[in-house]
Amino acid sequence: MNQPSPRQARRAILRLADAAGFDLAGVTGAEPLSRGAKRLKKWQDAGMSADMGYMQRPVELLSNPKKLQKTARSVVSLGVSYYPGDYPEVAEDSGLGKVARYAWGRDYHTVIKERLMELRRDLESELETKVRARAFTDAVPLLERSAAERSGLGFFGRNSCIISREVGSFFFIADLIIDLDVEPDRPGSGTCGKCSRCMDACPTGAIKAPGVVDARLCISYLTIENRGEIPVDLRARIGDRAFGCDICQEVCPYNKTKARMSRWPEFSAEAGAGPYLDLQEILALRTKKEFDRRFSGSAITRPGRAGLVRNCCVVAGNLRLEHLLPSLVECLVEDESSVVRGHAAWAVGEVGGAAALLALKTASGSETDPSVLEEVRAAIFRISG
Ligand code: B12
Ligand code: SF4
Ligand code: SF4
């Protein structure tokens, strides 16, 4: 069994990746991602990783593919469009909260990992050699965007997403770290030019400088990774987003012209939770068992039951939907999570009115958690004052 030449290996990878349904593929060497490492260090030092412990790991680990696989020679970066189309129009009072597009269908971690493993097997049989590989998407400590840029998949946009001139930015990045020498690609090229639409459109001002997103302000972080409370001054800016945020990609001219519908049926709205969550239904999820049953196989499990109910309280408060008041009051009185009870109190205060005031006053007599009591009192003050 001969080792394939770097050129043969490259041809085989690109052909097989395309046949496996990946929209983009490129290769880079396994050397440290030094440019990304410098920027990551600054980002970490500025506290922009919020409380994502996995992003506070040493820069040398996050930027070095060889730390993930000692025998690594090359990193194959792959792109899969998840673009499922636009949000269907709905009436403002329909009681729905938006889900970011990447989570409309099935959980990408498992779907993509299966195809990556198949790709490795196909590569072994095509090249007639054993290929040691580490296959993953968004699951191990590596700067996947920096690897993708160096593999030629695209360039860093000002929203910090990798933008491909072929498909825009609504795509997942997946990786195969392999022990083969492969002819590398040139780094991705392209530019935002004079555009700054994403920076202007971000509702929380999270894009602090071109390519620099402060996770502490990003709605995607606040509604998915964050396990605690959503700061009061940011809640209104979350609008109707119940899970994640696509605004800085929606406004991007590259996506307006290049976004390509996903070829993977697993990422269609029909395959999973779809574009909207019914707020009333989610506000009624009281146990982990019910939550797991409802969202099994979907990326929406990430914030956990309390996190998702918390988000839906915020959306219900922002939409000021009176018909959701009974559901919010139930959250306030019955939920075992103090985070949910606190956000429910806030939302009841946003809906307002006599019934809301009465519910809050009753809760102030029975609630014992100091942080929830503070939310209850603030809500009473807003309604009465
Ligand atoms: C932590 C994380 C988050 C955090 C922080 C986001 C952030 N921008 O840092 C939060 C929770 C906010 C988040 C949100 C989202 N995420 Co996220 N996230 C990650 C994760 C795990 C790490 C990202 C990271 O390293 N951040 C630290 C910063 C410092 O690194 P960076 O963003 O890569 O920034 C680099 C640039 O600054 C770059 N750089 C170097 N030189 C230059 C030069 C110039 C001029 C510029 C502009 C930049 C630049 O160097 C930095 C270091 O690599 C990756 C998966 C992974 N393991 O890589 C997914 C990942 C980045 N996320 C992804 C997605 C889809 C999202 C969301 C769209 C989800 C959603 N709809 O809600 C949003 C997008 C928000 C946004 N504008 O970034 C995809 C992005 C795919 C793509 N096409 O780019 C990834 C790659 C997951 C995947 N495997 O597909 N995410
Ligand atoms: S995902 Fe939303 S909140 Fe985060 S940077 Fe983009 S527009 Fe801003
Ligand atoms: S919206 Fe404009 S500035 Fe932002 S990433 Fe797209 S092209 Fe770049």
Side-chain angles (χ1 to χ4, degrees):
M1 219 185 315
N2 287 330
Q3 272 296 99
S5 75
R7 178 158 294 182
Q8 272 175 324
R10 176 189 165 73
R11 275 205 210 112
I13 288 168
L14 297 189
R15 198 179 60 72
L16 293 172
D18 182 50
F22 290 98
D23 298 284
L24 307 166
V27 185
T28 184
E31 309 74 56
L33 301 154
S34 45
R35 203 158 79 114
K38 276 191 206 128
R39 293 179 65 103
L40 173 68
K41 177 87 177 69
K42 279 195 193 158
W43 187 77
Q44 288 177 332
D45 290 348
M48 292 189 185
S49 58
D51 63 2
M52 293 179 285
Y54 56 94
M55 290 313 300
Q56 285 144 19
R57 284 182 277 205
V59 170
E60 301 69 42
L61 173 68
L62 288 160
S63 59
N64 189 352
K66 288 194 177 153
K67 296 270 184 202
L68 292 172
Q69 192 189 300
K70 275 195 189 130
T71 56
R73 305 289 305 165
S74 306
V75 179
V76 182
S77 296
L78 299 143
V80 185
S81 164
Y82 57 79
Y83 187 66
D86 245 322
Y87 287 89
E89 280 200 27
V90 291
E92 249 196 25
D93 59 355
S94 49
L96 300 175
K98 274 191 181 139
V99 174
R101 288 176 178 78
Y102 84 95
W104 288 14
R106 283 182 52 205
D107 187 346
Y108 60 104
H109 297 96
T110 36
V111 171
I112 296 180
K113 175 105 189 217
E114 280 166 22
R115 295 242 204 150
L116 286 173
M117 298 314 288
E118 276 171 37
L119 179 59
R120 183 188 70 85
R121 282 194 294 274
D122 292 348
L123 197 59
E124 282 188 331
S125 51
E126 169 107 0
L127 297 175
E128 298 179 341
T129 188
K130 178 111 192 93
V131 179
R132 278 166 168 267
R134 184 97 191 246
F136 56 90
T137 174
D138 205 8
V140 307
L142 183 75
L143 293 172
E144 292 186 273
R145 282 171 165 169
S146 291
E149 185 213 28
R150 215 172 66 186
S151 301
L153 259 50
F155 67 96
F156 273 103
R158 294 201 164 122
N159 57 11
S160 98
C161 292
I162 293 293
I163 300 177
S164 147
R165 292 206 274 196
E166 287 164 57
V167 302
S169 68
F170 286 119
F171 66 89
F172 294 117
I173 298 172
D175 309 75
L176 258 187
I177 300 184
I178 54 176
D179 63 350
L180 291 181
D181 283 315
V182 185
E183 198 176 81
D185 281 86
R186 291 217 187 108
S189 65
T191 146
C192 291
K194 291 195 175 129
C195 177
S196 61
R197 284 186 211 183
C198 52
M199 301 180 74
D200 303 336
C202 173
T204 57
I207 309 177
K208 289 292 179 197
V212 180
V213 171
D214 186 340
R216 292 170 295 189
L217 297 174
C218 178
I219 294 168
S220 181
Y221 167 79
L222 294 169
T223 58
I224 302 175
E225 300 298 316
N226 169 29
R227 298 288 167 268
E229 77 154 58
I230 297 176
V232 177
D233 57 328
L234 295 176
R235 290 180 195 164
R237 296 187 233 174
I238 285 174
D240 64 352
R241 277 162 289 276
F243 182 94
C245 171
D246 280 339
I247 295 174
C248 57
Q249 298 191 87
E250 280 165 354
V251 298
C252 180
Y254 282 99
N255 286 330
K256 289 197 193 292
T257 52
K258 304 283 178 192
R260 186 192 287 174
M261 286 296 276
S262 181
R263 292 190 281 158
W264 296 34
E266 296 94 330
F267 299 137
S268 68
E270 296 69 39
Y276 294 104
L277 296 178
D278 182 291
L279 298 173
Q280 193 162 19
E281 183 205 350
I282 307 304
L283 293 174
L285 292 176
R286 228 25 100 233
T287 64
K288 182 173 176 324
K289 208 169 160 191
E290 287 169 305
F291 174 76
D292 289 345
R293 202 180 307 130
R294 171 69 175 81
F295 291 112
S296 130
S298 151
I300 291 186
T301 49
R302 180 74 182 167
R305 182 200 70 87
L308 194 69
V309 178
R310 167 202 65 193
N311 300 345
C312 290
C313 287
V314 171
V315 174
N318 286 337
L319 298 176
R320 297 194 165 82
L321 296 172
E322 265 178 56
H323 76 269
L324 291 180
L325 191 59
S327 306
L328 289 169
V329 172
E330 262 180 47
C331 287
L332 170 62
V333 178
E334 287 174 16
D335 205 282
E336 62 172 30
S337 156
S338 58
V339 170
V340 169
R341 296 200 304 281
H343 288 71
W346 178 84
V348 169
E350 291 304 290
V351 174
L357 189 59
L358 180 63
L360 287 163
K361 284 190 173 158
T362 312
S364 75
S366 54
E367 179 62 56
T368 53
D369 185 291
S371 65
V372 182
L373 270 174
E374 207 175 296
E375 296 268 13
V376 170
R377 286 184 194 130
I380 292 176
F381 182 75
R382 284 202 313 280
I383 298 182
S384 354

